Amino acid sequence: MSVAPVLTVERLRVGYPGRDGSIEAVRDVSLGVDAGECVGIVGESGSGKTQLCLAVMGLLPSNARIDGIVRFAGAPGDAVRTVRGERIAMVFQDPQTALTPHLRIGTQMTEVLVHHRRIAVREAREAARAMLARVGISDPARCLRRYPHELSGGMRQRVLIATSLLCAPQLLIADEPTTALDVTVQAQVLELLARLRREQRMAILLVSHDLAVVAGLAARIVVMYAGRVVEEAPADALFRSPRHPYTAALIACAPNPDGPIPARMATLPGRPPGATERFAGCPFVSRCDRSVERCRHEPPPMVALDDGRRFACHEPLPA
Ligand SMILES: Nc1ncnc2c1ncn2[C@@H]1O[C@H](COP(=O)(O)OP(=O)(O)OP(=O)(O)O)[C@@H](O)[C@H]1O
Ligand code: SF4
Ligand SMILES: [Mg+2]
């Protein structure tokens, strides 16, 4: 039985005019998220993950140049446009800045419901209280009376997740939702997302620079490099046998989830290309230990296999 995609992105490009030539933040990205599915997006800092999410949400700054298709839950989309608000919600990296500092949590949460659902304040407050309980806040009535600065980072992120869930979105975009949190709270927030996905059949697009974060939750993982998708595969296949050398390098750098946490994370040598750089061939060539001559001047085409994998590499690792 095929599942309807809740989000389809086709050939998306996001660029900006820049002093040293135009900036290409997202370069020709296509991907899909099915109803109830969790898709992970990983890639180093600057690979275009947040720009992709903001484009889907329609939240890019006004000077952004956008091209491609963003289609939500089967709605027709022959140019970039999205249906947001009630059906797609996003949580951001920093729960501190995403909340309004001078408003109590209760006020912020009820405003969302009163605005979107046009329900009475009393009813909205009860819904907010119930949602806070749902995300594991032990004294929700007290939490509603608090200001953001009175809450811990983990509590704030829970509040944001609860707020984003108030309108029962079909898709939650979570951009580095745990980066600002300590390791124990990180695990709790990821567990919460996993539970909500199961209980609400809500699709999640989970974005992180850290493969270990998406590993436990995402059924499918999309790897981005320099604004492009370089590989996509079911999570287990990706870890078992990555085909793109960049994916293999990311896996080699990720700490073993069952092992001790290393004092220093291994990092990939070299730097990714900047958003103003243009490449005649493969963007990964300067850091790749499998590169051959044609990688310098021939862009590797995306190859899609029957088992749901795709990758763009002239010399892929063996299956
Ligand atoms: N408003 C803007 N104007 C110009 N360039 C921008 C703008 N916003 C982002 N960029 C550029 O777009 C590229 C992609 O940025 P993006 O924030 O999407 O990366 P990311 O993958 O989310 O990185 P991180 O892991 O650090 O969050 C970067 O080179 C960034 O400098
Ligand atoms: S196309 Fe060439 S340079 Fe790029 S990842 Fe593959 S082998 Fe490496
Ligand atoms: Mg980002």
Side-chain angles (χ1 to χ4, degrees):
M1 196 186 73
S2 70
V3 184
V6 69
L7 173 72
T8 311
V9 175
E10 285 172 26
R11 316 213 68 150
L12 184 74
R13 292 178 175 276
V14 178
Y16 295 90
R19 246 181 302 143
D20 312 316
S22 61
I23 294 163
E24 295 187 352
V26 178
R27 314 186 200 217
D28 198 10
V29 165
S30 299
L31 57 86
V33 183
D34 289 339
E37 183 189 34
C38 177
V39 173
I41 297 189
V42 292
E44 280 165 290
S45 185
S47 56
K49 305 180 298 295
T50 297
Q51 291 290 300
L52 168 67
C53 297
L54 294 176
V56 169
M57 292 297 292
L59 293 176
L60 286 171
S62 58
N63 65 334
R65 286 186 280 101
I66 316 159
D67 193 20
I69 297 175
V70 175
R71 192 181 294 123
F72 184 68
D78 44 21
V80 170
R81 67 199 186 107
T82 64
V83 185
R84 297 181 301 278
E86 298 200 9
R87 297 204 284 171
I88 311 187
M90 182 162 170
V91 284
F92 297 88
Q93 173 170 342
D94 186 352
Q96 176 67 58
T97 52
L99 289 164
T100 310
H102 62 275
L103 290 181
R104 291 181 201 269
I105 300 302
T107 311
Q108 308 197 33
M109 291 185 76
T110 49
E111 263 179 8
V112 171
L113 277 172
V114 171
H115 177 76
H116 281 289
R117 286 279 159 93
R118 309 204 176 283
I119 58 174
V121 172
R122 179 192 279 270
E123 203 184 325
R125 207 170 168 84
E126 177 47 33
R129 198 201 55 75
M131 192 56 86
L132 286 176
R134 194 107 198 260
V135 301
I137 287 187
S138 52
D139 189 348
R142 183 150 174 251
C143 181
L144 285 174
R145 292 192 298 273
R146 296 251 174 128
Y147 289 95
H149 73 266
E150 296 177 295
L151 305 177
S152 67
M155 289 265 277
R156 281 196 292 260
Q157 194 57 293
R158 277 173 202 270
V159 166
L160 278 181
I161 292 171
T163 307
S164 66
L165 295 178
L166 282 173
C167 293
Q170 281 171 276
L171 173 67
L172 179 70
I173 299 180
D175 186 8
E176 309 269 8
T178 62
T179 306
L181 309 175
D182 71 45
V183 179
T184 327
V185 186
Q186 261 186 29
Q188 290 169 0
V189 169
L190 291 174
E191 174 46 39
L192 167 66
L193 290 177
R195 180 163 64 77
L196 294 167
R197 188 190 69 75
R198 282 195 308 272
E199 290 174 0
Q200 310 213 162
R201 262 190 68 68
M202 177 183 71
I204 300 177
L205 192 59
L206 178 63
V207 177
S208 178
H209 61 277
D210 184 353
L211 253 180
V213 165
V214 302
L217 202 58
R220 221 149 35 86
I221 296 178
V222 175
V223 181
M224 284 184 70
Y225 189 78
R228 301 174 184 197
V229 173
V230 295
E231 181 161 14
E232 174 182 341
D236 49 352
L238 189 96
F239 283 101
R240 199 174 50 242
S241 63
R243 305 297 305 275
H244 196 284
Y246 177 60
T247 312
L250 278 185
I251 292 171
C253 291
N256 174 358
D258 303 323
I261 297 168
R264 250 185 107 232
M265 279 275 287
T267 49
L268 196 60
R271 306 185 74 230
T276 51
E277 262 180 67
R278 304 287 180 270
F279 352 86
C282 173
F284 191 54
V285 67
S286 64
R287 305 167 85 187
C288 182
D289 56 9
R290 293 178 68 81
S291 68
V292 292
E293 182 49 31
R294 71 172 167 150
C295 302
R296 299 197 177 281
H297 43 77
E298 214 181 295
M302 183 65 82
V303 176
L305 306 182
D306 290 343
D307 59 359
R309 305 187 67 147
R310 58 180 175 131
F311 47 84
C313 176
H314 290 307
E315 294 290 325
L317 288 122

